[in-house]
Amino acid sequence: MELNWGAVTGASSYVILWDDNQQGPTYENKIEGIEETRYSHTGLTNLLVHHYKIVAATSGGRGPKSRPVEAVPGPVPGPVEWVAVTTQAPGHTIYFGPAEGATHYRVYFAAAEPLLAGRWPAALYVEANTSPAVRDDVGVTAPIYYRVIAMNDSRIGVGGPAATSPTAVITEHELDIAGVAFGLTDDDDDCLDLPTGTGGVSSEVCTAAYSARDLEDAGLEDLVADPRRVSDVRLADFNGDGLDDLFSNTDSSVNLDGSVALLHLNQGDGVFQTSASVQALGIGGVGGTLLAADFDNDGDVDIFAPHDQTRGGAARNWFLVNAGAGVFTDQAAAASLQTDPPGVAYVPNGGQALDFDEDGFVDLLFGSRLMLNNGDGTFRDGSAAANLPVLADQGLRVFDLDLDGDLDLVHHSGVETRVFRNVAGVFDGGELVGTEAEDTYGSGLVVCDINGDGFEDIMVARNLSATNRGTPKRLVNVNGSLLLSATQEASGTDEDGLIARNERLACGDQNADGMADVLARWGESYRLMRGAVTLSRHIVLRVVDGNGQRNQQGRVVRVAPVDFPHRVMARVVESGSGLRSQGQYDLLVGAPWPGDYEVTVRFADGEVTTTVEAGDRKIIFADGRVEDIDEDEG
């Protein structure tokens, strides 16, 4: 039995008076000389009522007896394994896993995570018999931490992760519009930049706002020069110098003069140079999601640039194989990637590069097709074998929905969002998630762990069809089920005084606080939805080749807590994904469970396994080395 009481001024020790008389309290027994204000009373008979009073001993004798309390010793309930919070307008709904031996639960809440620490948190709580618990008096913008602890009658359990409300701080950034992509373009900081904005002021400070690049001074004036309109930008180190370069496609007719794909090579010090050889290829048309990865395993990053071929003209897909230093040759025809099947379902809008079959070669997911890499410069169609749905999309991505270690699929049509679960490498028939009464449409999808609980969540672009304006839809992952959660409206409006149209979404830890932030193109500006709350338990993983190059896009990484081995978090190093967007390269993994975590990376030549713990920031090399990120940069 755990006894706790308030300290008495001047007390040198305390005496516990107690009994287990079932006919009524006698307090005939005593325990003396206790100097703390907590005592663990052991050796008791379970399921009998025990009575207690506390007396303080001072230099002048004993003080008065405390008020009486009684408790029944018995089994202590097990820990609550997971907690997730969805937001209504107003209200919070707190979901949690069942605990062994629990008769009910205490749902603690506080404005700061440390207040929820320990077996007896110094915080308010509400009680719930089962999940979920509902607090209907809190607003959508309230940043609140939660922790659920199981109870068995009056006996409190141990453990249980902290959770947060999915609340964001929304800021607007007036930058030239040129893709929704995070990358590392500066040579003096590790802060996430955008194609037309920089995010750091020093090697240790990542700002909460973006500074606009002077595009002329940066050598990027042609990135947004008329008549060119950017469809997507991919930030990756194409020439192997450690800095991200910019490859961009177009969103215009294939025959429009002056509107072609460009590669801007990073010269350092915020200056870029246009690649004449890539410009001379004349890659035009309405481009889909660019996918960047080392498809031929030769150590440099290649590019797959798909295009909409239903609009007439000579638009086609380009498979640009990097010969080194950012010099490319097109191998699309030889690779069986140049043309798409006819029909709108095969238009390559969303996409992702990943080693789906984990044979060491990175595959392609786009336009209702899964193209498997044969390892000899060619690809074969694995769509039917995987039961890939044939559906027109406005964003798609694989992710581990239920933490079973395999990769499921989320597909957004623009109106509806569906998830398809992976069963032994084959997708099931799918289920509709996040349905609403409003008539909405949106182009864009992003997957990341927004609330730091280890489960990846989803946000999709959403605008009212009647006004073509709105706020992204948030789907919180509650133990493998995606539940709708309210998103607060942005404060900014467009020139008509209305909330602007939102589209294109990407994830990255923009302010380096350990929580994923969401970037959206919102009207004619960018808006960043930064988490208003942070959790202390997370892991950062950077996957690199044997030379330390960030060229492992598409590699599959699994992270599993040693004490909870059934929770296997599968992640994919970002290659470009969702819809014409790119998240950060480093993997940010929520670590809510105590103890060590086993990490396994499937590289080209096999697996590398290591052990990490919450708070670690590790670089995992293809040759098996593991280093701290900060040590490598120092």
Side-chain angles (χ1 to χ4, degrees):
M1 190 89 69
E2 294 289 338
L3 302 174
N4 296 269
W5 58 89
V8 175
T9 302
S12 58
S13 65
Y14 299 90
V15 178
I16 298 176
L17 307 176
W18 70 279
D19 71 79
D20 58 1
N21 183 14
Q22 301 305 291
Q23 285 69 48
T26 62
Y27 307 109
E28 56 192 296
N29 306 307
K30 62 183 176 181
I31 305 170
E32 299 180 294
I34 302 169
E35 297 182 354
E36 304 293 331
T37 58
R38 175 177 293 183
Y39 185 78
S40 181
H41 196 187
T42 60
L44 306 179
T45 302
N46 282 343
L47 305 181
L48 292 183
V49 177
H50 287 61
H51 309 97
Y52 293 92
K53 287 184 179 181
I54 309 297
V55 180
T58 68
S59 58
R62 291 183 179 177
K65 300 174 183 178
S66 71
R67 65 178 179 87
V69 295
E70 63 180 44
V72 179
V76 174
V80 171
E81 186 177 315
W82 59 268
V83 182
V85 183
T86 62
T87 302
Q88 293 73 48
H92 285 173
T93 302
I94 304 96
Y95 298 86
F96 50 90
E100 183 178 358
T103 58
H104 63 290
Y105 300 85
R106 286 183 178 178
V107 181
Y108 287 90
F109 56 94
E113 184 184 3
L115 296 176
L116 300 179
R119 192 170 180 182
W120 300 85
L124 299 174
Y125 65 86
V126 295
E127 293 196 337
N129 292 325
T130 60
S131 174
V134 178
R135 297 185 63 224
D136 55 13
D137 58 346
V138 288
V140 67
T141 60
I144 298 177
Y145 295 82
Y146 289 94
R147 186 163 174 243
V148 180
I149 301 180
M151 302 290 295
N152 184 296
D153 293 326
S154 61
R155 296 173 291 279
I156 193 166
V158 296
T164 68
S165 59
T167 309
V169 176
I170 301 177
T171 56
E172 187 166 2
H173 305 270
E174 295 291 344
L175 307 171
D176 288 294
I177 299 296
V180 180
F182 286 112
L184 298 174
T185 63
D186 294 336
D187 52 9
D188 61 350
D189 66 47
D190 198 30
C191 301
L192 294 178
D193 303 307
L194 304 179
T196 58
T198 58
V201 296
S202 74
S203 60
E204 298 179 353
V205 178
C206 297
T207 60
Y210 279 104
S211 301
R213 296 185 193 273
D214 185 315
L215 297 188
E216 183 176 0
D217 290 346
L220 293 171
E221 192 173 18
D222 55 346
L223 178 67
V224 295
D226 289 335
R228 192 170 191 271
R229 181 179 176 184
V230 175
S231 177
D232 193 14
V233 169
R234 198 55 61 242
L235 292 166
D237 183 8
F238 294 112
N239 59 3
D241 65 355
L243 298 173
D244 281 349
D245 311 297
L246 282 71
F247 184 93
S248 59
N249 59 5
T250 62
D251 188 16
S252 55
S253 168
V254 68
N255 301 316
L256 180 62
D257 290 339
S259 183
V260 296
L262 297 177
L263 171 64
H264 292 89
L265 294 171
N266 196 335
Q267 308 299 300
D269 297 324
V271 177
F272 295 81
Q273 185 176 74
T274 303
S275 168
S277 62
V278 169
Q279 187 173 18
L281 293 173
I283 303 172
V286 177
T289 301
L290 293 168
L291 303 177
D294 184 7
F295 294 106
D296 54 4
N297 286 347
D298 66 350
D300 45 39
V301 180
D302 311 303
I303 302 168
F304 178 62
H307 288 82
D308 185 349
Q309 296 163 29
T310 67
R311 303 185 182 219
R316 64 178 182 87
N317 301 331
W318 296 72
F319 183 50
L320 302 178
V321 177
N322 194 341
V327 178
F328 296 90
T329 58
D330 178 45
Q331 301 292 330
S336 302
L337 295 172
Q338 184 168 282
T339 59
D340 303 320
V344 67
Y346 294 100
V347 172
N349 289 317
Q352 189 176 11
L354 73 153
D355 185 3
F356 183 80
D357 55 5
E358 297 189 59
D359 64 351
F361 291 95
V362 178
D363 311 307
L364 290 165
L365 175 66
F366 68 101
S368 297
R369 286 197 291 168
L370 173 62
M371 300 298 292
L372 298 174
N373 191 336
N374 293 318
D376 60 0
T378 66
F379 289 74
R380 67 187 186 279
D381 196 332
S383 311
N387 195 35
L388 189 72
V390 180
L391 295 168
D393 77 271
Q394 289 296 320
L396 55 83
R397 194 182 189 277
V398 298
F399 75 117
D400 189 359
L401 172 66
D402 42 14
L403 303 196
D404 63 354
D406 60 24
L407 295 169
D408 310 297
L409 173 69
V410 59
H411 181 286
H412 181 56
S413 71
V415 177
E416 297 177 334
T417 306
R418 285 182 167 83
V419 290
F420 300 83
R421 295 176 188 264
N422 186 333
V423 182
V426 179
F427 295 114
D428 69 7
E431 62 179 293
L432 195 64
V433 295
T435 56
E436 299 178 285
E438 298 93 343
D439 184 9
T440 63
Y441 182 87
S443 298
L445 172 148
V446 70
V447 176
C448 60
D449 184 1
I450 298 171
N451 52 12
D453 66 354
F455 291 86
E456 290 195 291
D457 311 292
I458 293 174
M459 292 190 75
V460 296
R462 173 184 57 182
N463 301 282
L464 292 175
S465 299
T467 64
N468 202 29
R469 294 167 170 85
T471 300
K473 179 192 297 187
R474 186 195 309 267
L475 299 172
V476 172
N477 191 335
V478 178
N479 195 35
S481 296
L482 293 167
L483 303 184
L484 188 64
S485 183
T487 306
Q488 64 263 40
E489 294 184 352
S491 58
T493 57
D494 63 10
E495 64 274 11
D496 299 321
L498 300 172
I499 298 171
R501 171 185 171 86
N502 67 89
E503 57 187 351
R504 318 283 177 88
L505 302 161
C507 264
D509 184 6
Q510 186 269 342
N511 55 350
D513 66 353
M515 299 290 283
D517 309 309
V518 178
L519 177 73
R521 176 174 171 175
W522 218 318
E524 293 305 313
S525 64
Y526 293 98
R527 290 186 187 170
L528 190 68
M529 291 166 277
R530 297 195 320 277
V533 284
T534 61
L535 288 174
S536 58
R537 295 187 60 85
H538 59 271
I539 299 163
V540 178
L541 302 172
R542 179 175 299 169
V543 180
V544 299
D545 72 0
N547 296 317
Q549 297 293 318
R550 290 178 291 114
N551 55 12
Q552 297 300 302
Q553 291 90 342
R555 301 299 177 195
V556 178
V557 180
R558 290 183 173 86
V559 183
V562 173
D563 294 336
F564 298 85
H566 60 289
R567 296 296 192 186
V568 183
M569 298 175 279
R571 300 290 190 265
V572 180
V573 180
E574 177 70 323
S575 62
S577 64
L579 179 72
R580 301 180 180 94
S581 66
Q582 175 184 356
Q584 71 178 43
Y585 182 91
D586 291 352
L587 296 173
L588 177 62
V589 183
W593 299 285
D596 292 338
Y597 288 72
E598 184 177 87
V599 178
T600 302
V601 184
R602 179 47 163 109
F603 286 101
D605 295 327
E607 292 184 346
V608 170
T609 299
T610 188
T611 301
V612 301
E613 60 184 21
D616 280 350
R617 292 164 44 86
K618 297 293 185 180
I619 305 174
I620 303 177
F621 293 79
D623 59 14
R625 289 177 295 140
V626 178
E627 297 180 1
D628 290 335
I629 288 179
D630 298 331
E631 288 180 4
D632 177 78
E633 292 170 353

